[in-house]
C-alpha cells in the first residue's frame, strides 16, 4: 500500500471520483477512504473484486472439505465415481490401485 496514493479523504472522493477510478483501474490496489481521519470504506476496481470473490469461494470449499475429512465424511474413489455415474445415468465405473480419497461426502 502506498500511503499517499492508497489512502484518501472522503473529500477527495467527492471532488475527484474520475481520477480515483482511473487510479483503481490502473494500479488494481484498493484505496482506503477516510472521514475525520478514520478509515470508513475501501474501494477497489471491479476486476480485483471479482478475483477476490472467486478466491474466497475456493477457500470456503477448501474449509468445507477439510471439515469433512476431520469428521470422517469420506467416500472411496470407486464409491465416488459410482455416485457421479448414478447422477448422470451412466454405467458403473471401477478404478483399481489408485488414490482412494476423492473428496468430501457433500458431493
Amino acid at each position: 500500500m502506498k500511503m499517499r496514493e492508497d489512502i484518501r479523504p472522503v473529500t477527495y472522493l467527492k471532488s475527484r471520483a474520475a481520477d480515483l477510478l482511473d487510479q483503481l483501474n490502473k494500479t488494481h490496489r484498493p484505496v482506503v477512504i477516510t472521514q475525520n481521519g478514520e478509515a470508513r470504506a475501501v474501494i477497489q476496481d471491479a476486476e480485483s473484486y471479482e478475483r477476490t470473490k472467486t478466491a474466497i469461494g475456493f477457500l470456503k470449499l477448501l474449509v468445507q472439505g477439510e471439515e469433512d475429512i476431520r469428521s470422517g465424511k469420506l467416500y472411496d474413489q470407486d464409491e465416488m465415481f459410482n455416485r457421479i455415474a448414478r447422477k448422470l445415468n451412466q454405467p458403473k465405473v471401477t478404478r483399481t490401485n489408485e488414490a482412494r480419497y476423492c473428496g468430501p461426502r457433500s458431493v
Side-chain angles (χ1 to χ4, degrees), residues 60-77 79-81 83-84 87 100-107:
K60 285 180 179 180
L61 289 173
L62 286 172
V63 167
Q64 180 182 358
E66 288 176 346
E67 288 172 358
D68 286 346
I69 290 168
R70 277 192 287 278
S71 65
K73 295 178 182 175
L74 305 172
Y75 291 109
D76 70 28
Q77 182 174 335
E79 190 176 356
M80 179 59 73
F81 280 113
R83 283 176 55 95
I84 293 169
K87 287 186 182 225
R100 303 308 291 171
Y101 171 73
C102 280
R105 279 191 178 267
S106 59
V107 173

Side-chain angles (χ1 to χ4, degrees), residues 17-18 25 29 33 35-36 38 42 62 64 70 92 96 98 105:
N25 287 296
R29 291 189 317 260
I33 302 298
Q35 186 176 36
N36 298 324
E38 293 185 28
V42 177
L62 286 172
Q64 180 182 358
R70 277 192 287 278
K92 280 188 171 185
T96 58
E98 295 183 25
R105 279 191 178 267

Side-chain angles (χ1 to χ4, degrees), residues 10-77:
V10 71
T11 53
Y12 184 90
L13 173 63
K14 290 177 183 178
S15 64
R16 306 203 37 206
D19 293 338
L20 188 57
L21 291 175
D22 287 341
Q23 174 188 336
L24 289 168
N25 287 296
K26 178 181 165 195
T27 66
H28 299 284
R29 291 189 317 260
V31 173
V32 176
I33 302 298
T34 63
Q35 186 176 36
N36 298 324
E38 293 185 28
R40 303 294 285 183
V42 177
I43 301 174
Q44 70 182 137
D45 65 286
E47 182 183 331
S48 296
Y49 175 74
E50 288 297 324
R51 283 196 314 264
T52 300
K53 275 182 40 178
T54 299
I56 289 170
F58 284 131
L59 291 172
K60 285 180 179 180
L61 289 173
L62 286 172
V63 167
Q64 180 182 358
E66 288 176 346
E67 288 172 358
D68 286 346
I69 290 168
R70 277 192 287 278
S71 65
K73 295 178 182 175
L74 305 172
Y75 291 109
D76 70 28
Q77 182 174 335

